[in-house]
Amino acid sequence: LLTFLPENTDFDVEGFKAAVEVIFTAQEILVGNADYPTVPIGENARRFRQLGLGYANLGALLMALGLPYDSDGGRALAGAITGLMTGHAYATSAVTASRMGPFAGYAENEEHMLRVLDQHREQMADIDEELVPVDLLSAAQQSWDVACATAAIHGVRNAQASVLAPTGTI
C-alpha cells in the first residue's frame, strides 16, 4: 500500500484502482491455465473462478500517516481501502462477465451473490466520512455502485474476488 502514498501527497486512488484492475484481470486469466493438485480442485476452481486479491503494508501505511493501528481513523482508512479494492475488483469481474459470461455456478447462486454484493455496498455507508479522504471513500462507494449495477445485468465472472490473510501468516 505504501506504493500508493507518494511522499507528501494523498493516497493515489486512481493508481490503486488501475493496479486492482490489472492484477485482478491477470488472476482471472490464470484460472483457466493453472494446474491444480487434484481434478476436483481444478474443476471447482474453474467452475467458481475464485480469486484472492489482497494487499500488504497496511500497518506501514497507517504509521506513515500517523494513524494508530487500533484507532477509529485507522479502521476507517482500512475499510475504505479494502472497500475500494474489493468493490473495484467485483466491478471488473462484472464487466468481464458482460463479455465472457459469469462463472459457471452463477445461475444457481445469483440471488445470494447479488445479495452479498449489495450488503458490501451498503457497508460503505458505515465508514465515517470525517475520518478518510473524501476521494478515497467516494471512489470506494462508486466502485460498489458499479459492481452491483453491472452484476445485476451480467452477473460476475468470479465467485470470490479478495482475501486478506490474517496478520502474521505471510
Side-chain angles (χ1 to χ4, degrees):
L1 292 176
L2 283 177
T3 300
F4 302 99
L5 187 68
E7 200 169 316
N8 301 319
T9 64
D10 292 327
F11 189 79
D12 180 5
V13 172
E14 293 306 313
F16 186 69
K17 285 173 55 179
V20 165
E21 194 166 332
V22 167
I23 299 300
F24 192 80
T25 301
Q27 287 183 348
E28 161 56 26
I29 291 167
L30 290 174
V31 170
N33 297 310
D35 290 324
Y36 297 94
T38 66
V39 171
I41 290 173
E43 290 171 353
N44 189 64
R46 284 182 280 281
R47 179 169 168 73
F48 291 96
R49 308 188 75 77
Q50 308 100 318
L51 302 184
L53 189 63
Y55 57 69
N57 295 115
L58 175 62
L61 177 74
L62 295 175
M63 282 191 284
L65 294 170
L67 292 169
Y69 195 76
D70 186 22
S71 67
D72 290 341
R75 284 187 292 276
L77 185 66
I81 290 170
T82 305
L84 176 58
M85 177 187 73
T86 308
H88 194 61
Y90 273 115
T92 301
S93 182
V95 169
T96 303
S98 75
R99 293 188 313 267
M100 301 180 73
F103 65 90
Y106 180 77
E108 65 205 61
N109 293 288
E110 179 177 10
E111 175 187 346
H112 306 295
M113 190 81 213
L114 294 175
R115 185 185 72 247
V116 168
L117 293 178
D118 194 54
Q119 288 172 334
H120 282 283
R121 184 187 59 78
E122 289 173 3
Q123 287 300 304
M124 296 309 303
D126 290 346
I127 297 174
D128 188 339
E129 60 190 34
E130 302 283 324
L131 299 177
V132 295
V134 68
D135 63 327
L136 174 59
L137 186 55
S138 177
Q141 291 167 333
Q142 288 172 1
S143 289
W144 278 107
D145 289 346
V146 170
C148 290
T150 309
I153 298 167
H154 301 288
V156 289
R157 183 78 174 150
N158 312 91
Q160 178 179 318
S162 61
V163 64
L164 295 177
T167 302
T169 61
I170 55 173

